[in-house]
Each structure stands twice: as structure tokens, then as C-alpha cells.
Amino acid sequence: MRLRALLETDTLGLRLLSGEDELDRTVRGVMTTDLRDPSRYLSGGELVLTGLAWRRRPEDSERFVRILATAGVAGLAAGEAELGAIPDDLVLACARNRLPLFAVDEDVAFAAITEHVVRQVSSERAGDLAAVVDRHRRLMTSGPAGGGPEVVLDLLRGDLDLRAWVLSPTGRRIAGSSLAGTGPELPPALGAALAGEHLAAARAGRRGPHRLTLQGATYSLFPIPGGSGAATAATGGRDARESVLSDWLLAVEADAGDWSPERLDLLHGVTQLIAVERDRRDAARTVRRRLAQEVLELVQTGAPPAEVAARLRVAAPVLLPGLGTAPHWQVVVARVEWDARPENERATDTRTAPDSGPVTQALLEEVLVDPRAGGPEPSDRIAVAHAGDEAVALVPLPSVPAEDPGAEAGVHADELLAAVAEPLGRGLDGDGRLTIGVSAPVHSAEGLRGALEEARHARRVAAARPGRVCAAGHQELASHVLLLPFVPDDVRRAFTARLLDPLRDYDRRHRAELIPTLEAFLDCDGSWTRCATRLHLHVNTLRYRVGRIEQLTGRDLARLEDKLDFFLALRMS
């Protein structure tokens, strides 16, 4: 189809802002993105849809448009919902780069434009490939009765003899062909290996499809772009190394290197259709996320337990429908942290990595999926919020066995990362870390604040360990961490004074800022590079200050126990 045809479709409500002389360009596909650099997902000829979340300042427009023009996209359609009118700097950048620019009314959904373009492009293709794409579109957009991605993959198997699976970033099977006689199901270990290869290739900036041979079979991996829903909102405008952790992928048991351009176009069209289904699933999480955010804000602001309990009563039927009694609750805290720059640039670069809270939220939802739960979305019992760069999950538990105190229900830190550590480690790729802390189950709203603090302490324990992906449970906390809230006030004051008074006295005399340095060092989990970057100090200056802290207090900040003591003293001061 031609770009000109989009203006002639009244239902789309598009307005041309620039590029009238370029409207005869051919549209070969459509992509929705708010990434600052979406080049790895572009193959040329796409209509790019964007909500403008990548635009922080006027200079961003020229860079973004130049990337699109270099990739050979057909045109750009910008939504008005984010900023109202389309900025003049974007109009001028598109005119300079001869890139047609359309305005999308805020009442028009990107999904409607995507479906229209895919339908038109598919209908113009000759032969069986066009018929297959059209059948995919109709089945994917027919609602729950259409079967979702499973039916699309069945069509790939039946019409093109291709076995394919939709996988999450951890390698979890989201969908796969269900036709009889299609061979054995994809083993979990193989799914994790495919996901790891996809994440590694995406981190290296290689364009899909990525090809590899495992266990005697060749697979081609196609990234499934985030659509216009929550996933795109979470990653829009963020560091590209974070966005790869939330990408789905389509794994096809075939060598795409031998395919014709038409067949490659077909598979890219299929990934766009599956992205629509992903948007639906992300939208279904909106209510659970909002409930978790409300509970988290109440707990963190010290709201009365009765108010927290009332909010939990609202959440319980949503997370555990049909449950007759109030559930117990468990809290899981996660954080994804990135080094600000590559190793050879960090010494002279004081920039910090971007806030990773939304990406951590989506990743924690994935990590907490229980494949044994069944159903189309096994994680529908989990509500995850985020605050800053931290994600907090509220996990309801139907019961905690009273007859066997040693056998706890719920999430166990030692089991949580068993299946996902390898692929996520490849996605983190040497400069990122995922750390998770798990609380003990609590029986009421009164215990939720303590569970949140307990999970945060456990995450810090995990952060003190080596490795890219680490988790710790409440059992691993030192006993004084659990008992300290019940210690008398005079003992608390003595504990805090013993640790912090020598530092306060030294700061008063020398203005050395040892207390702020200690706070930043602990908040960076003992990372010299990140702490020095945050404080705008040379690493040697930071080492001198930490050495002075250790000398004045007789403690060793390389020891986990001393780190925890300092952390608690600062929190109680």
C-alpha cells in the first residue's frame, strides 16, 4: 500500500504535517515504538507509530528522525495524546530529512492503525502468503474465541510447515503450536537457551532474525516489538539495554537465512499481530498494578492498618477470585541496576543509568510466574508496583500451613531464579544486575510494613553476593534485623550512637561528609564505581572516606554484618 492511501481512510483520522511529495512511498509494515533508538527493529518500509515519550527536549527530534530516515522507513505517525499538538521541532526535522509526518488524533488507537496497515499490506501480497496473513489477522482480532497466538502458530505449522513458539525474555513458553503430530513440545531448558541467545544478540545490537543451532536443530529468532500498551510505556524513551529485558520473541524451527523476502515479511507481520495480543495481556495487568501501587503508597506513608486492610480487601477478590477467606500476603522486592557507562569510560563519566523501575516491574511479573498455575496468564495472581528504581510485588497466599511451621507456602528465594538466571544473565550482559528479596508470609495488614522492610533487607543481602542475578529470603537475614523493631528505645539510641556519633563529631570538626558518604555507599550496595559517580568523587577520594569511617568506628564495610548494622543505624537515626 502507499502512504497516500492512509490519508484517504477517514476512519484513521490522520493529518499530514509534512512530506506531501513523498506520499507515493510503499508501506511494507508497521511498528509502534517510543524507544530513543529503534533501529535494531527496523528493516525499511515501515510506518512508525510513536507516542513521543522519547522526546525530552527539542534536540531529540532531529536525532530520532535521522535514525528513522537512515533505516529507510516509509513515514512517521505521531500521537497527540502525550504532548497535545505535535511539536514544531519534529515537523521541521521530518521536513529536513524528507520523512512524511502524520498527526494521530488522541481518540484513534495505534492498534486500529496497525490492524489496518497489516490488513492492507497482507491483501496486496500475491498467492498463499497473502491468504495466510489475512487468516492470521482475522483470527487474532476476533477476540478470545479466536484462540490468540496459539491459532496463529497453528496456521504457520499447517500452511507453511513451520514449528514456532512465542517465548518470554526468560524462555517461558507463552504460546506454541497445538496441532496434533507437530512433534515434542519445546523443553524448558531449550526455551531458556533460545531466550538467552535472543537477549545477547539484542544487547549486541544485531538485527533479527537471529539464527543459531542447538541440539541438532536450527532456529530463527524474531523479536516481537512492544506495542502501544503498558510494555511500551514502561520502556519508552529509556536505555535500549533495559528494553531488551521485556521483549517477547518468536522462535521458529527453521533457517531464515534461506528465506525469500516475502516469507520474511510474513513472519515480521506475524510478530506485529502477536504484539497486539501482548498489548491485551499488558492492559489486563493494569488493575492489579494500580491496586499494588495504592497498597504500597499506603504502607510507605504509614497509613493506619485499618486503611491498608480495607485496600487489601479490595485487592483479594481481584487476585484470588472465589476465595472465601482473607488471604495471607507475601512481599517480593526487586531492583535492576546498570552501570552508567562501559568499563573503559566510567572513570571520567559522572552520568547515572536511567530509572529502571518500570522495567523491573515488568521483569518481576515475569520472574514470579508459576507455570504450574495454568490458564492463559499464570501470573494473574500477582500485583506488582514500582517506586523509583524498585519493584514491589504483593503475592496473595490462600493459606499458610499451621501444622508444619517449617513448610512455608508462597515464594521461596532459593527456587525463584532457578529457571531464569541463565537467560537474564545474558540480557544483563556484564554491566547490569538483578537482585531480589523475599519476605516471610504475613497474616494481616499490620504485618505488611514489616514484610516490605524485610524484603528490602533481603534484597540487600542478595546485592552483597557476586553474580548478575541473585535472590535472598527472609531466613537469611541476621537475627538482629528481625528483632530490632522490638528492642527498647534506650537500647536503640545506644546502638545508633555507638556507630554514628564518631562520624557526626568528625563531620562537625572537618566538614568531611562521612555520613552522606556512608549513606550513598550503602545505597549503592557497596559499588565503588556507582557511589563515586553519584557523589561526583574520584574513586580514590571515596576509598579514603570509607577508610576513615572504618578507622573511626572499628568496623569493616566489606563485611555484610557491618553493612547491615550501619544501614539500620542510619534508618533509626
Side-chain angles (χ1 to χ4, degrees):
M1 68 176 295
R2 306 284 182 179
L3 280 175
R4 190 179 306 278
L6 294 173
L7 288 175
E8 298 169 356
T9 306
D10 294 336
T11 57
L12 297 182
L14 298 180
R15 304 191 315 279
L16 182 66
L17 301 182
S18 71
E20 184 175 0
D21 295 336
E22 306 292 332
L23 291 179
D24 286 329
R25 292 186 181 186
T26 299
V27 179
R28 298 174 58 242
V30 62
M31 175 190 179
T32 301
T33 185
D34 274 314
L35 293 173
R36 290 183 176 183
D37 181 4
S39 57
R40 69 176 182 274
Y41 295 116
L42 299 171
S43 56
E46 297 93 343
L47 172 68
V48 174
L49 307 175
T50 180
L52 300 178
W54 49 266
R55 183 186 177 275
R56 307 267 180 89
R57 52 186 182 275
E59 295 80 8
D60 293 341
S61 293
E62 179 66 25
R63 177 180 179 274
F64 183 78
V65 171
R66 189 179 296 119
I67 289 172
L68 300 187
T70 302
V73 305
L76 174 65
E80 296 179 325
E82 179 76 15
L83 300 178
I86 304 303
D88 291 340
D89 48 85
L90 180 59
V91 178
L92 293 174
C94 288
R96 282 193 295 268
N97 290 275
R98 299 175 62 86
L99 182 67
L101 174 64
F102 301 89
V104 182
D105 189 88
E106 62 181 353
D107 294 329
V108 178
F110 281 1
I113 300 174
T114 297
E115 291 173 10
H116 175 81
V117 172
V118 171
R119 180 171 64 251
Q120 295 300 317
V121 170
S122 299
S123 64
E124 292 172 4
R125 290 178 182 149
D128 293 339
L129 291 178
V132 170
V133 172
D134 187 62
R135 287 171 64 192
H136 290 178
R137 181 199 59 76
R138 287 186 284 107
L139 287 165
M140 281 295 292
T141 58
S142 60
E150 299 281 358
V151 176
V152 175
L153 301 185
D154 282 349
L155 286 171
L156 284 179
R157 176 62 174 170
D159 292 347
L160 298 179
D161 196 28
L162 293 176
R163 294 180 68 218
W165 302 267
V166 178
L167 303 177
S168 76
T170 64
R172 176 176 62 89
R173 176 191 177 279
I174 295 170
S177 174
S178 58
L179 289 175
T182 57
E185 187 50 82
L186 188 73
L190 180 56
L194 293 174
E197 176 64 24
H198 165 72
L199 290 173
R203 284 299 311 276
R206 303 200 305 269
R207 287 187 179 182
H210 315 303
R211 293 174 291 153
L212 72 157
T213 300
L214 289 174
Q215 301 178 10
T218 300
Y219 298 88
S220 298
L221 310 178
F222 294 80
I224 297 176
S228 58
T232 298
T235 59
R238 297 187 180 277
D239 196 314
R241 57 188 172 177
E242 292 183 341
S243 68
V244 302
L245 291 176
S246 58
D247 284 346
W248 283 5
L249 68 141
L250 177 67
V252 181
E253 190 178 359
D255 187 349
D258 300 330
W259 288 0
S260 65
E262 291 79 11
R263 179 165 286 205
L264 284 171
D265 281 349
L266 170 65
L267 266 293
H268 285 301
V270 168
T271 63
Q272 291 169 351
L273 293 172
I274 295 174
V276 175
E277 175 66 15
R278 178 184 178 178
D279 280 346
R280 291 176 179 173
R281 298 193 183 192
D282 284 335
R285 292 178 172 177
T286 302
V287 173
R288 298 194 297 276
R289 286 177 168 178
R290 186 173 66 249
L291 287 171
Q293 201 75 39
E294 291 172 356
V295 172
L296 177 62
E297 290 173 1
L298 288 174
V299 171
Q300 291 194 135
T301 56
E307 187 176 351
V308 179
R311 183 45 64 191
L312 290 176
R313 284 194 294 273
V314 174
V318 175
L319 304 179
L320 287 176
L323 185 69
T325 59
H328 302 293
W329 300 94
Q330 196 169 13
V331 176
V332 181
V333 171
R335 181 179 291 181
V336 172
E337 295 177 300
W338 302 92
D339 290 324
R341 299 289 291 165
E343 187 71 40
N344 60 349
E345 301 176 26
R346 292 176 200 160
T348 58
D349 197 320
T350 60
R351 289 178 291 175
T352 59
D355 167 32
S356 59
V359 173
T360 308
Q361 179 183 42
L363 189 57
L364 184 56
E365 288 171 334
E366 170 61 28
V367 170
L368 287 173
V369 166
D370 182 1
R372 298 167 298 179
E377 184 52 72
S379 62
D380 59 2
R381 291 174 46 204
I382 299 163
V384 183
H386 76 85
D389 57 357
E390 178 183 77
V392 179
L394 192 64
V395 182
L397 308 175
S399 63
V400 177
E403 67 278 2
D404 186 2
E408 288 186 354
V411 178
H412 296 268
D414 55 351
E415 301 173 359
L416 196 58
L417 300 178
V420 303
E422 194 278 334
L424 291 183
R426 299 193 68 182
L428 293 163
D429 192 35
D431 62 350
R433 294 197 74 202
L434 168 65
T435 53
I436 296 178
V438 181
S439 79
V442 294
H443 303 175
S444 64
E446 287 82 355
L448 207 55
R449 185 171 187 178
L452 176 60
E453 291 302 315
E454 192 174 69
R456 283 173 169 163
H457 289 318
R459 194 205 64 78
R460 290 180 176 274
V461 172
R465 296 172 175 167
R468 292 291 161 190
V469 183
C470 299
H474 63 95
Q475 305 94 334
E476 301 175 62
L477 297 177
S479 60
H480 69 272
V481 176
L482 299 177
L483 297 176
L484 201 54
F486 305 102
V487 174
D489 288 343
D490 56 342
V491 177
R492 289 190 183 207
R493 286 192 291 269
F495 175 77
T496 303
R498 190 176 301 115
L499 282 172
L500 300 184
D501 280 0
L503 306 182
R504 293 190 181 108
D505 292 342
Y506 193 88
D507 280 348
R508 279 195 295 268
R509 293 196 306 271
H510 302 284
R511 298 182 180 179
E513 298 187 356
L514 296 186
I515 292 289
T517 299
L518 176 61
E519 291 174 335
F521 187 74
L522 295 175
D523 195 45
C524 292
D525 296 322
S527 169
W528 298 99
T529 302
R530 290 201 301 273
C531 184
T533 298
R534 175 178 297 187
L535 296 175
H536 303 287
L537 297 174
H538 192 279
V539 171
N540 289 342
T541 303
L542 175 62
R543 291 185 184 277
Y544 173 81
R545 289 188 183 180
V546 171
R548 179 65 68 184
I549 291 170
E550 293 175 335
Q551 181 184 22
L552 291 170
T553 61
R555 299 297 187 106
D556 181 358
L557 278 167
R559 297 179 67 247
L560 174 60
E561 293 84 353
D562 288 344
K563 286 181 181 178
L564 286 173
D565 284 345
F566 275 122
F567 172 78
L568 292 171
L570 288 168
R571 291 295 297 270
M572 292 187 297
S573 63

